[in-house]
Amino acid sequence: MMAYLSPFAPTTLVIIGAFVLLIISTIKTIHLHSYLYITVAFLLLAFAVELPQFGHDTSVYVFPEIFGHAYLVDDFATLFDLMFLGGGALTLLINAIYLSKRDYYNGEFFALFLFAIFGMMTLAHANDLVAAFISLELTSLGIYALTGYHKNYRGSNEAMLKYLILGSFAGVFFILGTAIFYGIAGTTVISELAAFIHLHGQEHLLALSAAGMFIMITVLFKIGAVPFHSWLLDVYLGAPFPVTMFMASTLKVALFAIALRLYLILYVDTGLVGNQAITVIAILTLLGGSWLAISQTVLKRMLAGSSIVHGGYMLIALSSIGLGADTAAPAIMFYLLSYFISSVGAFGILSYIAAGATRPLTYDDFKGMAYRRPYLSAMMAISMLSLSGFPSTIGFLGKFYIFTSAIESGQFFLAGLGIFVAFVSVYYYFKLIAMMYFYPDEESEGERHPFEVHISTLLIGFMAAVTIWGGIGTSLIPWFPGADGMIEIARQAIGSLP
């Protein structure tokens, strides 16, 4: 019993925290900051319990008498769990000021937040298609509710409705693919499906390929890949800033967790999902996302379009896995980390500035900000440089590993397109930097804001420092894992897959 309880403890702590917050949310005298710190405490406690479990190089099926082989604890899932828990804590702490200035947040918001993280953690551990679907829908239901949490704001209600309709529609494909797999193979366990397809795949190749593509369509919908991206910009704009940050960073990590597990175990060797299909989707995503990002004036929508482009970069590496690129899967995991760090910094600054705003922030709102808020402007510039892949930032190394994997697999056109799109991204990222440093703001000229020392600003500064450290300083401390060290950690996690 204890052998099962220990690996299951971090997930248990998160779900206990969710129910505790749900119960005490009925107490009207509890201050919002108390809910926030209780939530962060549960996340950090789960993180502390999870961290020693990484590196044991073992795979454990939790309660196999009850769940069978559906819930698997391995280094792959553990590494993603650490990213979810750390990402959730950072999201809440960085948005502390924004949350405190909105009167519609209460304990239920934080309970839903933990329910969503619980769904992400079970999704990373899912070794069964039915378990993966339940986890995916649990995560999605939490995000749907969080997206529409500002009930009196029409844009938030519209975003929730669009996300709910299209997300539910996408989930149908996952169920359909799972039903086909079960009808042919008699199992929905991912590792058992792979073994069955190796032995009998040629007998049912067309049906199995259709099932594999149906499931990937759901994942591509959730990632926001073109042409499955129609909900993304509206959802990002209508959702509250903490939720937008959560979706852009942590949720994207969770979706690629299940995409990688499916691809590495089920799709690579069996050929159910052809590399050509993923390559075409990657090209459409890079080009379509770039066009959307360039054409926006509202910064939330610009970052939504750019997140589509970053998903396209990772699809480049995903298509390279099946062509023998050993660096492709670790490159995706490193890129997820680099994008998370950069996007959290950017969204954190927007959230901090938008705390007192009554309308969406545009490029024009940042004119002259380098004079008014020099420290925040420098941090935002660092985030923009990293997102564009500028040298000496962690974003540059993330793109370097992605393009290297494409070249290793012989996809020179895809690597060239990715580099071209990275140059295009300079326009919409550097446009914001230009607004801050080179365009005066006549209306607010002379109003200089002092740097406010707060947990939100300190963590934003920390993320900016990590962004630079990840690009140039990773070899200065021998015991601190640099970029190569993170790649090795990713390789170790991938090596634990069954």
Side-chain angles (χ1 to χ4, degrees), residues 44 73 100 372 415 424:
L44 294 181
V73 175
S100 66
R372 301 193 309 272
V424 171

Side-chain angles (χ1 to χ4, degrees), residues 74-224:
D74 52 17
D75 282 347
F76 181 86
T78 300
L79 182 58
F80 277 103
D81 280 353
L82 293 171
M83 297 174 73
F84 303 149
L85 295 168
L90 280 171
T91 297
L92 292 178
L93 291 174
I94 287 177
N95 286 280
I97 290 180
Y98 182 93
L99 291 168
S100 66
K101 293 187 177 182
R102 299 292 188 274
D103 58 3
Y104 51 84
Y105 290 109
N106 53 32
E108 295 170 358
F109 175 87
F110 298 97
L112 288 168
F113 192 87
L114 287 187
F115 277 122
I117 291 182
F118 172 76
M120 293 178 188
M121 295 175 73
T122 54
L123 183 63
H125 288 275
N127 187 46
D128 182 278
L129 293 178
V130 174
F133 175 77
I134 294 171
S135 302
L136 187 62
E137 290 307 301
L138 178 60
T139 302
S140 298
L141 287 172
I143 299 295
Y144 298 153
L146 292 172
T147 300
Y149 206 79
H150 190 179
K151 296 182 285 292
N152 297 324
Y153 175 46
R154 182 177 178 180
S156 184
N157 296 330
E158 178 187 346
M160 181 191 69
L161 186 61
K162 287 182 176 179
Y163 196 10
L164 174 63
I165 292 173
L166 289 173
S168 302
F169 175 74
V172 171
F173 288 98
F174 201 105
I175 283 291
L176 181 57
T178 301
I180 295 173
F181 273 133
Y182 183 76
I184 295 173
T187 182
T188 55
V189 176
I190 296 173
S191 53
E192 293 177 5
L193 276 173
F196 175 87
I197 294 168
H198 278 297
L199 293 175
H200 308 287
Q202 293 301 318
E203 302 171 19
H204 313 279
L205 184 59
L206 183 60
L208 291 171
S209 298
M213 278 306 304
F214 284 146
I215 289 175
M216 279 305 297
I217 284 173
T218 300
V219 175
L220 292 170
F221 253 113
K222 300 290 185 178
I223 292 171

Side-chain angles (χ1 to χ4, degrees), residues 369-393:
M369 199 181 88
Y371 176 80
R372 301 193 309 272
R373 302 175 184 268
Y375 299 104
L376 286 180
S377 297
M379 296 173 194
M380 178 63 90
I382 290 171
S383 296
M384 293 296 104
L385 290 170
S386 182
L387 288 170
S388 67
F390 197 79
S392 78
T393 63

Side-chain angles (χ1 to χ4, degrees), residues 253-490:
V253 174
L255 295 172
F256 272 98
I258 186 60
L260 271 175
R261 185 178 287 275
L262 287 171
Y263 213 80
L264 291 169
I265 298 176
L266 189 58
Y267 293 155
V268 170
D269 294 331
T270 60
L272 291 188
V273 178
N275 291 309
Q276 297 86 351
I278 301 298
T279 299
V280 170
I281 297 295
I283 293 171
L284 292 174
T285 302
L286 290 170
L287 296 177
S290 297
W291 172 254
L292 288 171
I294 288 172
S295 59
Q296 304 304 317
T297 56
V298 176
L299 292 177
K300 252 190 176 184
R301 292 180 68 89
M302 181 275 285
L303 289 175
S306 73
S307 75
I308 295 175
V309 178
H310 290 285
Y313 291 135
M314 286 180 274
L315 289 176
I316 291 177
L318 197 66
S319 70
S320 301
I321 293 174
L323 297 176
D326 295 333
T327 59
I332 293 176
M333 298 180 76
F334 182 83
Y335 197 91
L336 286 168
L337 177 63
S338 68
Y339 175 68
F340 171 83
I341 292 170
S342 306
S343 64
V344 163
F347 276 108
I349 295 169
L350 289 180
S351 170
Y352 181 80
I353 295 173
T358 57
R359 59 178 178 79
L361 296 174
T362 66
Y363 281 103
D364 290 339
D365 293 319
F366 279 73
K367 284 182 177 179
M369 199 181 88
Y371 176 80
R372 301 193 309 272
R373 302 175 184 268
Y375 299 104
L376 286 180
S377 297
M379 296 173 194
M380 178 63 90
I382 290 171
S383 296
M384 293 296 104
L385 290 170
S386 182
L387 288 170
S388 67
F390 197 79
S392 78
T393 63
I394 194 170
F396 170 77
L397 288 181
K399 288 183 174 59
F400 173 80
Y401 288 123
I402 291 288
F403 300 150
T404 299
S405 70
I407 293 171
E408 182 185 350
S409 65
Q411 298 189 99
F412 299 105
F413 171 77
L414 211 51
L417 178 63
I419 295 171
F420 169 75
V421 168
F423 277 109
V424 171
S425 71
V426 169
Y427 170 76
Y428 49 84
Y429 289 130
F430 278 48
K431 181 179 178 181
L432 182 57
I433 298 176
M435 290 291 176
M436 293 189 296
Y437 285 93
F438 305 118
Y439 287 78
D441 182 7
E442 294 81 5
E443 295 180 4
S444 303
E445 194 169 0
E447 298 179 10
R448 190 160 189 162
H449 300 266
F451 181 74
E452 183 180 351
V453 179
H454 188 273
I455 186 65
S456 298
T457 55
L458 292 176
L459 282 175
I460 291 169
F462 173 75
M463 299 306 287
V466 172
T467 300
I468 297 297
W469 180 265
I472 62 174
T474 51
S475 62
L476 298 180
I477 300 179
W479 51 265
F480 191 85
D484 291 339
M486 290 303 300
I487 289 291
E488 288 306 314
I489 290 173

